[in-house]
Amino acid sequence: MIARLLYRNKVQGVLKYVLGKPESTILGFHNTYSDTDTNLKVFEQVLVFLGFRHASEKRYVHATLNLPRGEYLDNDTFLALAKAYMEYMGYGEQPFIVVRHHDTEHEHVHIVSSTIREDCSQINLSFDYRRSMTAQKYLEKEFGLSPSPNKRTVRELPKLETPQFNPQESNGVRYYMQDILNNTLQKHKVRSFDELGKLLEKYHIQLKVVERSGRVGLAYGIATKEGYRSRFIGGYTVHPQFSGPKLQQVFERNKESALLPMVKKRLEKQVQTTYKLFRTLRPVHLPDVLDSHQKLDCRLNYNDQGQVVDFTIHDKTGYVLRSDEIGRGLGIQENPELFQTEHTQMYMDSRQLELEFQRCLREAFQKTYRDLRYKPLFSEHILKTPLDVLVREMMKSERFLFLKKHLHTDNRTLWKVITSHYYPFSEKLYTSAMNKEKQELQKKADLIQRARDRLFTSTLDQREVLGALVQSLGVRYNEGTLTYANSKLHQVPVDLGSYLLQTSVNPYVPPGFARENEKLLEGLLHGKSAKEIKPGPTALFLPMVFPKLYNAMVPTFRERYDTLALKAYHRYAERMQAPFEKSPRDYIAFFNARGFYFEEQGGKLWVGSLYSKYKVTVALSTKMQDYLLSSPELPSVMARQPVSLNHIIAKGQDNLKSLWMGHLMECGLYKQAAYSYVLDRITPNLPLELVEHHMANGFKEALVTVANERERLAQANTLRAGWNALETLMGPTTSQEEEAYNGFKDELTDYSKYKENWFLESWGGLNFGP
């Protein structure tokens, strides 16, 4: 199902269109004196009366619900679907009409209502597209419909030789033109009528531009190879937005956009970089080269004799630019030494090729480093990684395969070229990594000394707190020297006392937590704002990873930290649960399920959590404030908050471990979350809808896998324990004990019945030594 929302400032034209089609059926009304038999004239007067009570341009809503082709619902079910959709969109108390049309191949209904309430207030239209997508996803499951696409994408136009419309149908040509023009203007930032005409050629649409008295008139026509020609239709007749004056306004906006100069500069640099790689370049190979090397959509321009004369770039921003518009000297005819050839060959000794190989090597070093389970320092990884490992990794990259394709050389020569670039570059990269690691270690040492004096209270376990601070930054302290936790390559002298209590449970902190912790401590010491610190959602879980450190923090700093972490996680959680929210009620209920609550202070809504050491709250954004406060259900939803929170507390889930498990699930780390559930019986603090989504998305399979692994491990441990117990009961074995019966022995092979070992004695005289 696909739902669409349109807003209007007048309703008469919408009702005339919805009710005027011959193939239409009124399914029902809502919030009128009769749900099945309402006077249409009276209904129109009610909507007009409501709309005139507000000055908004969005006084009326026109919604359509479209079923996939081939699916069908009876009238009663379709009416129930429409009412449920309007309820989720906030129109449950508004009058509206539901009309079913049968003029297309897919079944659909039209819903017309007013956004103005009886008290002259307007329904809050914030996040309407997001809520519409969520409502349609939910209703698809409820009514057994096929799921719609997850993302709103620009639909690719069909590249067919003939237009897809029936010339016999009335308005068929006009609707086809509307569809093509709408998609073309969305996909491209058109700047002139000539450019628009070229983009419409492949869809067989022709443009006729006429200037009269300073005004530009525009008409559209169709001509196909099969000989079909339509009459030219005025632009305003096709659609008011496709008339000449309206399109001129669009062209001027695209020309004056501040984005255009930046696009030209970027494209000029990309094209020049590609030119520097090649000694010769065949013109017909240019689109493939630019696509492989720079990810640019290049189209060639031909003259009447079929020769390539220029190229055009269709940029990802929507601009379509010729070579002379991008920059001087980039055209094919302006570079005869490069393009007048039948072969495409790279420079073997060019500076640009050297840079490309260095980039391939750097990416290979980084990729192999990311794949390591236990990571040393990056500089150590550079020293230990052999060239053949890097080459195997480089062979997987599109950049290296592009270079290999156009170098036209054998593997032996290519290996020599890579080797010639590898040794100087690896040494340079190693030196750069060494210097960066030294600077980072010195920064950590300075941070530890400043934080020791300002961030933490003086307690009896000061040495243990200081030890936790050292470990939380991913470093190690020993006898006046600070080193990285995973390496002793770099050392920084620092005086932290003769002895620190450093736990050995987690000597190596994951790099992500160490970086987040360092960023937050540095920001707290310098009094930076949340915008300057940019904390991530994992900041909320730092007290779970470093409990001693954050419990010993000075109250003013801890309260500031709780505020920053709460704000960062709240912003993250809003994005994660947005696709599942159908109403303000869901927004609050979903946060309650996570362990967060809302309260009203000074006419504004603030959010707090069960996980903060101090009671801190964060104000919601202005748009979200207005959206939630506009809901008539807000008081009842706020009153039900204690029930959800007390349920979390009663189950013992008011801790960061339960919230962390939900975070792992939202990040797609299902196996890690499954281990937490199977081994520690930790349940996630997530709304039920999100849990069901993750169960269907792979979490259920991860639970089964981990449970089976756990069961196999338990069985192996049981067998091992039984064997050890049996050995203990039997006691030590000696050579004098009677051997158990062996059915494989017979009279010829059972030599134990002889008292003398004559078999071995007969071989005693032989020497098997050297």
Side-chain angles (χ1 to χ4, degrees):
M1 181 183 77
I2 295 179
R4 290 192 176 95
L5 287 171
L6 297 172
Y7 298 105
R8 297 285 185 264
N9 60 353
K10 296 180 180 179
V11 75
Q12 291 88 348
V14 177
L15 288 175
K16 183 178 180 181
Y17 168 77
V18 171
L19 299 171
K21 289 210 171 181
E23 297 180 353
S24 62
T25 304
I26 298 177
L27 300 185
F29 299 85
H30 187 68
N31 278 340
T32 58
Y33 61 83
S34 173
D35 289 346
T36 57
D37 187 17
T38 296
N39 186 290
L40 294 177
K41 190 66 175 178
V42 174
F43 177 76
E44 179 179 343
Q45 292 174 352
V46 170
L47 292 186
V48 172
F49 174 74
L50 289 174
F52 280 168
R53 306 178 77 180
H54 202 281
S56 172
E57 289 294 316
K58 297 181 178 181
R59 288 178 283 185
Y60 303 101
V61 60
H62 175 201
T64 59
L65 304 181
N66 304 270
L67 300 184
R69 292 183 181 180
E71 297 192 8
Y72 177 83
L73 293 177
D74 59 67
N75 289 342
D76 293 339
T77 306
F78 221 149
L79 178 62
L81 173 67
K83 288 186 175 181
Y85 175 80
M86 294 297 281
E87 178 72 27
Y88 288 132
M89 296 304 296
Y91 296 88
E93 299 179 359
Q94 295 294 102
F96 59 80
I97 184 174
V98 182
V99 182
R100 184 169 191 168
H101 283 183
H102 308 276
D103 57 340
T104 61
E105 294 184 11
H106 60 274
E107 300 288 337
H108 64 282
V109 295
H110 294 259
I111 311 170
V112 183
S113 183
S114 174
T115 63
I116 312 303
R117 300 189 182 98
E118 290 185 0
D119 60 358
C120 300
S121 65
Q122 186 177 32
I123 293 175
N124 193 287
L125 305 179
S126 302
F127 317 108
D128 56 347
Y129 172 76
R130 189 175 77 184
R131 288 184 287 122
S132 177
M133 289 290 293
T134 303
Q136 79 177 35
K137 291 284 186 184
Y138 178 78
L139 293 173
E140 285 168 356
K141 295 180 181 179
E142 289 292 308
F143 288 84
L145 301 174
S146 299
S148 56
N150 292 325
K151 297 181 180 179
R152 180 173 60 175
T153 57
V154 178
R155 182 170 61 88
E156 290 291 336
L157 298 178
K159 298 180 180 180
L160 301 173
E161 292 296 326
T162 56
Q164 295 302 293
F165 64 87
N166 186 356
Q168 305 302 325
E169 292 181 1
S170 61
N171 296 324
V173 174
R174 186 166 63 89
Y175 290 149
Y176 173 76
M177 291 177 176
Q178 285 182 7
D179 188 33
I180 298 297
L181 283 164
N182 184 52
N183 282 275
T184 301
L185 292 173
Q186 284 184 3
K187 188 175 181 180
H188 302 285
K189 294 185 182 297
V190 187
R191 294 167 293 149
S192 66
F193 290 110
D194 291 339
E195 182 180 331
L196 179 61
K198 291 179 181 179
L199 291 173
L200 296 177
E201 281 180 356
K202 61 181 178 181
Y203 304 111
H204 310 283
I205 297 180
Q206 298 177 335
L207 265 65
K208 182 185 291 185
V209 182
V210 180
E211 293 189 19
R212 292 178 181 175
S213 303
R215 289 179 60 86
V216 177
L218 189 64
Y220 303 92
I222 289 180
T224 67
K225 293 181 180 180
E226 285 72 16
Y228 173 80
R229 297 183 65 88
S230 72
R231 63 181 179 85
F232 277 88
I233 304 175
Y236 190 88
T237 304
V238 173
H239 193 277
Q241 295 298 323
F242 300 148
S243 63
K246 289 290 185 180
L247 287 181
Q248 276 188 316
Q249 296 177 7
V250 175
F251 299 160
E252 291 300 322
R253 286 198 304 268
N254 293 336
K255 288 179 183 179
E256 297 173 0
S257 172
L259 180 64
L260 182 57
M262 293 186 288
V263 171
K264 290 182 178 180
K265 188 174 182 179
R266 172 176 57 82
L267 291 177
E268 182 180 11
K269 184 177 180 180
Q270 287 180 290
V271 174
Q272 287 178 346
T273 300
T274 304
Y275 284 179
K276 292 176 182 178
L277 276 175
F278 289 88
R279 186 187 307 274
T280 56
L281 181 57
R282 190 178 180 185
V284 293
H285 292 165
L286 183 62
D288 180 63
V289 168
L290 288 177
D291 179 51
S292 301
H293 187 228
Q294 300 290 352
K295 305 300 181 187
L296 295 179
D297 183 7
C298 175
R299 315 280 177 88
L300 297 177
N301 301 334
Y302 297 87
N303 59 14
D304 296 337
Q305 290 75 33
Q307 298 175 340
V308 180
V309 294
D310 201 1
F311 65 89
T312 303
I313 300 293
H314 291 242
D315 192 55
K316 58 186 177 183
T317 57
Y319 283 104
V320 180
L321 300 168
R322 300 187 309 273
S323 63
D324 58 337
E325 294 179 305
I326 297 173
R328 293 182 179 179
L330 295 181
I332 293 178
Q333 294 181 344
E334 285 80 2
N335 295 273
E337 295 181 357
L338 179 63
F339 286 103
Q340 287 184 1
T341 178
E342 293 297 321
H343 305 284
T344 298
Q345 177 69 41
M346 278 187 178
Y347 278 115
M348 184 64 76
D349 54 352
S350 67
R351 172 60 179 165
Q352 190 59 43
L353 182 63
E354 180 182 355
L355 295 176
E356 293 293 333
F357 272 116
Q358 290 180 3
R359 189 170 180 179
C360 290
L361 288 168
R362 180 184 286 106
E363 292 174 352
F365 273 122
Q366 294 171 347
K367 179 62 168 60
T368 53
Y369 183 71
R370 287 194 301 268
D371 293 341
L372 293 176
R373 185 175 181 182
Y374 300 104
K375 292 180 173 58
L377 296 179
F378 187 55
S379 59
E380 295 176 327
H381 173 69
I382 295 173
L383 286 179
K384 295 178 181 178
T385 306
L387 179 57
D388 56 341
V389 174
L390 292 177
V391 172
R392 283 196 296 269
E393 187 62 40
M394 288 166 60
M395 289 294 294
K396 303 175 185 177
S397 69
E398 294 182 7
R399 185 182 306 279
F400 180 78
L401 295 177
F402 165 76
L403 298 176
K404 185 176 182 295
K405 174 183 177 181
H406 294 288
L407 277 173
H408 301 296
T409 184
D410 57 4
N411 292 334
R412 184 182 297 273
T413 306
L414 183 61
W415 178 266
K416 290 180 180 179
V417 174
I418 296 174
T419 305
S420 66
H421 294 300
Y422 166 74
Y423 289 103
F425 176 73
S426 61
E427 183 177 353
K428 180 181 178 182
L429 189 62
Y430 171 76
T431 304
S432 175
M434 286 276 291
N435 294 334
K436 185 177 180 180
E437 290 162 0
K438 289 179 182 178
Q439 294 174 2
E440 290 294 327
L441 186 59
Q442 185 63 53
K443 286 174 59 179
K444 292 176 186 289
D446 297 339
L447 176 60
I448 290 171
Q449 290 179 316
R450 286 183 283 117
R452 175 186 59 181
D453 302 328
R454 294 180 55 192
L455 282 182
F456 304 101
T457 58
S458 299
T459 59
L460 296 177
D461 57 347
Q462 187 70 17
R463 294 184 303 168
E464 191 172 358
V465 172
L466 192 55
L469 172 61
V470 169
Q471 289 184 325
S472 69
L473 297 175
V475 291
R476 196 82 173 156
Y477 177 77
N478 185 27
E479 297 180 356
T481 303
L482 198 69
T483 63
Y484 283 102
N486 57 338
S487 174
K488 295 184 179 180
L489 179 63
H490 307 291
Q491 297 182 357
V492 173
V494 60
D495 184 15
L496 298 179
S498 58
Y499 181 69
L500 293 184
L501 296 178
Q502 301 175 91
T503 60
S504 59
V505 177
N506 186 18
Y508 176 53
V509 177
F513 280 106
R515 286 192 296 268
E516 191 70 31
N517 188 51
E518 181 179 2
K519 182 172 62 176
L520 274 164
L521 294 181
E522 191 73 38
L524 290 173
L525 282 172
H526 288 87
K528 295 181 179 179
S529 64
K531 189 175 182 179
E532 295 173 314
I533 300 175
K534 297 180 181 179
T538 55
L540 188 70
F541 304 101
L542 291 176
M544 178 186 71
V545 184
F546 315 116
K548 292 185 179 298
L549 181 67
Y550 281 87
N551 289 335
M553 190 175 284
V554 174
T556 53
F557 285 109
R558 177 60 193 262
E559 187 173 354
R560 173 68 176 152
Y561 157 77
D562 285 342
T563 303
L564 290 172
L566 174 61
K567 189 173 184 179
Y569 185 83
H570 171 257
R571 186 167 57 248
Y572 158 82
E574 274 189 333
R575 296 196 309 269
M576 299 307 295
Q577 66 187 37
F580 302 90
E581 294 170 4
K582 302 177 290 295
S583 64
R585 178 178 64 249
D586 287 343
Y587 180 88
I588 295 177
F590 285 176
F591 269 106
N592 291 162
R594 292 176 182 267
F596 295 82
Y597 59 89
F598 297 87
E599 58 184 29
E600 192 171 356
Q601 302 175 11
K604 293 184 177 181
L605 288 177
W606 300 68
V607 60
S609 78
L610 299 175
Y611 313 107
S612 303
K613 185 176 181 179
Y614 299 96
K615 190 180 186 304
V616 296
T617 54
V618 175
L620 304 184
S621 64
T622 303
K623 191 173 183 180
M624 184 59 71
Q625 294 267 2
D626 297 339
Y627 169 60
L628 296 178
L629 291 172
S630 67
S631 173
E633 299 178 319
L634 183 63
S636 60
V637 175
M638 295 278 284
R640 288 197 296 268
Q641 287 188 114
V643 178
S644 301
L645 299 177
N646 291 333
H647 180 66
I648 292 176
I649 297 173
K651 292 171 62 179
Q653 294 180 216
D654 54 334
N655 56 75
L656 287 172
K657 290 183 178 179
S658 295
L659 189 65
W660 174 248
M661 183 179 173
H663 183 72
L664 290 176
M665 293 171 62
E666 289 182 314
C667 293
L669 303 174
Y670 292 142
K671 196 163 187 180
Q672 290 87 327
Y675 275 114
S676 297
Y677 178 80
V678 173
L679 300 181
D680 301 327
R681 290 299 174 185
I682 298 175
T683 52
N685 284 352
L686 276 183
L688 181 60
E689 287 85 347
L690 272 73
V691 174
E692 292 177 347
H693 166 74
H694 292 299
M695 289 288 284
N697 203 36
F699 183 58
K700 184 176 181 180
E701 289 78 1
L703 282 175
V704 174
T705 302
V706 172
N708 291 336
E709 291 179 2
R710 177 68 173 170
E711 185 177 356
R712 288 195 297 268
L713 182 61
Q715 291 177 354
N717 290 336
T718 302
L719 291 173
R720 188 178 298 108
W723 177 256
N724 293 336
L726 184 61
E727 283 188 334
T728 303
L729 291 174
M730 293 180 63
T733 58
T734 63
S735 59
Q736 299 298 326
E737 292 179 350
E738 183 177 358
E739 184 182 15
Y741 173 74
N742 188 345
F744 291 98
K745 287 187 177 183
D746 56 23
E747 291 292 328
L748 296 177
T749 59
D750 187 8
Y751 305 109
S752 61
K753 61 184 179 179
Y754 300 103
K755 293 182 180 180
E756 293 84 14
N757 199 347
W758 61 270
F759 186 81
L760 294 178
E761 289 177 354
S762 63
W763 292 90
L766 298 179
N767 185 9
F768 292 96

